[in-house]
Amino acid sequence: MSKLRRRGRISDLGLQDTLNASDLWAERVADLAHAALIDELETWPKPGLVSPVDSGSHHDMDAGTLRRSAAAIRPYFAALVAAGRRDAGMNELRAIGLRAEAAMLAATGGVNAHRGAIFSLGLICAGAGVAGPVPASAEARAEAVARLWGGAIAGAPASTDSHGGRAARRYGVGGASAEAAAGFPTIRAVGLPALRLGRVHAPDDPEAARVQCFFALLAVLDDTNLLHRGGADGLTRARDAATAFLEAGGIAAPDWRDRAVAIHRGFVAARLSPGGCADLLATTLFLDALSREV
């Protein structure tokens, strides 16, 4: 097969100069990961979080910040697919992830826009490299992370230099690491079914389906960013609001958008930001897209 020279992508990392069929798979997976981050950003109302409408509970970032971050880390998703293809160990995957974080911070002026997403989406990218371009369900791709690297993830100590890591240690919750080590059980049991249900209720409104997915995740997740900002009371308040939204019909209710906006405003007033749920929404969207790609 002839090789295609590509610029501005994986070759920019100094890993290679040309792309063959396997490399094109890496680029396609990276495109889907980037698209999932943009779809998460553009989902609104999404209580407390940044969107093109406003910055939610954040004063240090806006939609432009997240767009720059997503663009900066996109090549590293391709690098993680390539690493998975050559059966790289966790140390190499972590090294690529750290380079992605450095690129994110350089693009955002030091703002942590996507650290959690680099971790979760990056592992799925590596898993897609191991499997290659073969048909697989979203659930199977999620479970593959546990099979391949669950032990290594679970054995690593909780981060002490991130808000989420410190909150996980303080409140005794698993956080993003536990979710990944177990093959993203919350996504398999809650996120993907909610996304599919949202599409049934709103077949012509992809954003509404994403909102349904987000609220379903918010209702059950021990979000460490909520714990960091609002403590146990803040987490309970957020989960109760999401549960009430869903019990009232979710996006199937005629006034769902007004109700979601009201919850958003309440989160902003209390400075609550469910960043963990945002990461899981992006991860759910990515897994779903991968399952429909091949």
Side-chain angles (χ1 to χ4, degrees), residues 38-137:
I38 299 304
D39 282 345
E40 181 276 314
L41 166 63
E42 294 183 346
T43 301
W44 190 83
K46 197 175 53 203
L49 293 166
V50 176
S51 75
V53 175
D54 59 37
S55 293
S57 299
H58 295 269
H59 302 298
D60 59 346
M61 67 178 85
D62 57 18
T65 310
L66 294 183
R67 291 185 192 281
R68 291 193 299 276
S69 173
I73 64 181
R74 185 220 161 276
Y76 297 91
F77 289 137
L80 284 160
V81 178
R85 187 172 67 242
R86 60 177 180 270
D87 294 322
M90 182 54 68
N91 286 340
E92 183 176 350
L93 300 184
R94 286 195 183 104
I96 297 171
L98 288 173
R99 298 209 305 273
E101 286 189 17
M104 170 193 73
L105 295 173
T108 63
V111 175
N112 171 19
H114 285 124
R115 179 175 289 154
I118 291 169
F119 175 72
S120 296
L121 273 68
L123 286 167
I124 293 165
C125 286
V130 173
V134 297
S137 69

Side-chain angles (χ1 to χ4, degrees), residues 203-279:
D204 300 320
D205 190 349
E207 182 181 48
R210 299 195 301 268
V211 170
Q212 180 76 19
C213 179
F214 176 80
F215 272 93
L217 293 168
L218 179 58
V220 301
L221 187 68
D222 289 328
D223 190 310
T224 54
N225 203 46
L226 284 172
L227 286 169
H228 163 68
R229 284 183 172 240
D233 289 343
L235 176 65
T236 298
R237 173 181 173 179
R239 290 173 58 163
D240 286 350
T243 299
F245 176 83
L246 296 170
E247 289 179 347
I251 65 162
D255 62 342
W256 74 264
R257 195 174 293 274
D258 290 339
R259 295 178 59 252
V261 169
I263 296 171
H264 173 63
R265 289 172 178 161
F267 276 37
V268 172
R271 296 193 65 254
L272 295 175
S273 174
C277 293
D279 292 338

Side-chain angles (χ1 to χ4, degrees), residues 25 124 127-128 131-145 147 183-184 187-189 192-193 195-196 199 283-294:
W25 171 240
I124 293 165
V134 297
S137 69
E139 288 82 357
R141 291 190 184 278
E143 290 176 319
V145 171
R147 184 179 69 253
F184 301 98
I187 289 178
R188 288 185 280 118
L192 287 164
L195 181 64
R196 293 161 184 159
R199 288 172 177 159
T283 308
T284 302
L285 297 174
F286 181 38
L287 285 165
D288 175 73
L290 272 175
S291 73
R292 294 183 286 111
E293 179 65 17
V294 181

Side-chain angles (χ1 to χ4, degrees), residues 6-16 18-19 23 26-27 74-82 85:
R6 299 281 290 276
R7 296 185 183 275
R9 299 219 171 179
I10 194 171
S11 58
D12 284 352
L13 305 180
L15 299 176
Q16 59 188 46
T18 57
L19 295 176
D23 301 319
E27 294 294 342
R74 185 220 161 276
Y76 297 91
F77 289 137
L80 284 160
V81 178
R85 187 172 67 242

